[in-house]
């Protein structure tokens, strides 16, 4: 029977997991878990921190927002861009309504219901009516400067003009959501698929194909060449004021939206002002059923108290306003046939079973593979090759198999048995973690781990090496040019040209490798992909030691003495740092 980890150990594990998920969602635009799973981790961590206040840390993800700045110059938000708490069902929405009513006893409350656009939050600043700056949300306090790119977004005014009703403020900060329409996404996807067909025919490495509008939109906004962003046909909905100097006084949120529309900002036409929580629920249920009638993706409804003075009295928690909530739509489900169950090996050796499916359209895209999480989940669900299964997908999260349709199961099928050996050429024995459900390949030389480490090392949230994506990384490995991270920095342009890179792509990659050497030590430590070492732990190590050689040679007692370095974190650092592939990274 698995032992229950101590509160301090569980808190450290949860903080590391949540930081990794934040990085995947905000930094890499590639979430790995559903909103419900993420929220469950955050709630567990919050409960543990409340029960053990001596273990609280001000850098905990329970009191911070989103992901760190990764690519562009930092921009400090003058008014923080807070996150919203989530309601996953009508019960949680009603509980939020009760908290609002308790904070405003015997007062009538009106609500503004807004569609929750599945895009990228943005802050746009105008000074004396002129477009001045645009920044992503980032961690809520500091975002990325994307001024040139946002300037290309269609429908966004670049100069504000006074109307009969409103004057132009000295400073006006407008907040909203940048998104890619479904039509624009399908156009981009078709272009990339045609390009890959031509590249394959010419024996060249393929390029990445966007998987959904949100990822495509976020990636397009973060292009270093603004002309590429301009070609992607991005759009925006504005929904909130940030800093305002010299502007009109308002008493309601709905009036601020009318103000934004009068100045020429795009305001979503489906926004509705309602008088009761029952009307809020009706609005949510309507769009839950009609979400696919829209030309853009939504993943819920944002509900806000309309009266600004009431908002002031309700205030904020440590990370979110009490006067607003995000009602999240439940994931969509479809049935299909489970063809096979296979396993994949990640960069930390974690082995994940996944389902190979008859392709099925669910959650806005065609799904042919889905996660089964871990060996315990496969056994619990008892899904077997040949079963008809229920597949669930929410937005751009990895789809999952919910379970089998037992009435459709054929006679004679047998339970699937988790492999005892890694499928890599080394064939090492797989080991189940003692305290959790994960199974791992513990051989650091595993080529599957190596490939995933290289891909992660080059990703946007890590070293952000321009031109080095999944396909190009695999092409370099297959050619024998790259066997560990250190080999990346020994590449020459002639090698790239020899395996099908165009001169432009090869040059871009060489420039990207050179620029990656300017990244701070904390980014390098994160990029190494060490288990439990996310951005927070990486910042702690970088601040304590100052350079990689000192970390590599640090005595065990020095590592253990650092606040925030739990035993599990310490063990994974020592294991990784003793392997040659991590030491090779010093060549960068």
């Amino acid at each position: 029977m698995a032992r229950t980890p101590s509160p301090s150990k569980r808190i450290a594990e949860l903080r590391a997991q949540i930081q990794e998920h934040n990085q995947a969602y905000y930094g890499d635009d590639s979430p790995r878990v559903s909103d419900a799973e993420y929220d469950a981790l955050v709630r567990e961590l919050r409960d543990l921190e409340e029960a053990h206040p001596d273990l609280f840390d001000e850098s905990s993800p329970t009191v911070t927002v989103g992901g760190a700045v990764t690519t562009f110059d930092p921009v400090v938000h003058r008014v923080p861009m807070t996150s919203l708490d989530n309601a996953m069902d009508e019960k949680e929405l009603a509980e939020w309504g009760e908290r609002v009513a308790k904070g405003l006893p015997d007062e009538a409350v009106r609500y503004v219901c807004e569609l929750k656009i599945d895009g990228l939050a943005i802050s746009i600043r105008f000074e004396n009516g002129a477009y001045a700056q645009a920044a992503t949300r980032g961690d809520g306090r500091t975002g990325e400067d994307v001024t040139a790119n946002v300037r290309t977004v269609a429908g966004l005014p670049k100069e504000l003009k006074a109307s009969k009703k409103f004057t132009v403020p000295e400073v006006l900060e407008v907040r909203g959501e940048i998104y890619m329409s479904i039509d624009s996404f399908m156009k981009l996807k078709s272009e990339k698929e045609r390009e890959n067909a031509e590249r394959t025919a010419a024996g060249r490495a393929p390029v990445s194909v966007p998987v959904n509008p949100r990822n495509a939109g976020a990636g397009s906004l973060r292009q270093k060449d603004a002309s590429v962003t301009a070609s992607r046909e991005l759009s925006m909905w504005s929904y909130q004021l940030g800093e305002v100097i010299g502007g009109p006084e308002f008493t309601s949120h709905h009036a601020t939206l009318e103000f934004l529309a009068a100045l020429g900002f795009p305001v979503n036409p489906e926004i509705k002002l309602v008088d009761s929580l029952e009307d809020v629920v009706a609005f949510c249920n309507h769009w839950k059923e009609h979400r696919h009638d829209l030309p853009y993706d939504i993943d819920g409804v944002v509900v806000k108290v309309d009266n600004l003075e009431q908002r002031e009295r309700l205030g904020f928690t440590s990370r979110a306003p009490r006067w607003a909530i995000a009602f999240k739509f439940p994931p969509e489900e479809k049935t299909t046939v489970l063809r096979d169950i296979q396993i994949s090996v990640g960069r930390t050796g974690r082995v994940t079973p996944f389902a190979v499916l008859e392709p099925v359209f669910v959650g806005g895209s065609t799904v042919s593979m889905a996660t089964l999480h871990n060996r315990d989940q496969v056994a619990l669900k008892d899904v077997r090759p040949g079963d008809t299964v229920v597949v669930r997908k929410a937005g751009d999260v990895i789809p999952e198999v919910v379970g089998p349709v037992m009435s459709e199961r054929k006679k004679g099928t047998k339970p699937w048995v988790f492999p005892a050996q890694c499928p890599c050429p080394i064939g090492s024995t797989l080991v189940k973690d003692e305290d959790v459900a994960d199974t791992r390949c513990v051989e650091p030389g595993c080529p599957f781990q190596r490939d995933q480490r290289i891909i992660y090392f080059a990703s946007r949230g890590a070293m952000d090496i321009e031109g080095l994506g999944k396909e190009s990384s695999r092409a370099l490995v297959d050619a024998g040019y790259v066997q560990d991270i250190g080999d990346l920095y020994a590449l020459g342009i002639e090698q790239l040209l020899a395996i099908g890179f165009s001169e432009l792509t090869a040059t871009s990659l060489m420039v990207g490798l050179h620029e990656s050497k300017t990244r701070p030590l904390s980014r390098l430590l994160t990029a190494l992909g060490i288990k439990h070492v996310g951005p927070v732990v990486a910042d702690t190590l970088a601040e304590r030691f100052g350079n990689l050689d000192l970390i590599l040679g640090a005595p065990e007692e020095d590592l253990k003495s650092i606040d925030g370095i739990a035993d599990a974190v310490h063990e994974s650092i020592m294991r990784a740092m003793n392997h040659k592939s991590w030491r090779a990274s010093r060549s960068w």
Side-chain angles (χ1 to χ4, degrees), residues 482-495:
V482 175
Q483 294 302 310
D484 61 42
I485 292 165
D487 291 339
L488 291 171
Y489 297 96
L491 287 171
I493 197 166
E494 297 81 7
Q495 294 171 300

Side-chain angles (χ1 to χ4, degrees), residues 363-382:
S365 63
T366 299
V367 170
S368 58
M369 290 187 291
T371 184
L372 287 163
H373 297 293
N374 53 57
R375 67 194 303 162
D376 289 352
Q377 284 294 305
V378 178
L380 179 65
K381 295 174 180 177
D382 188 24

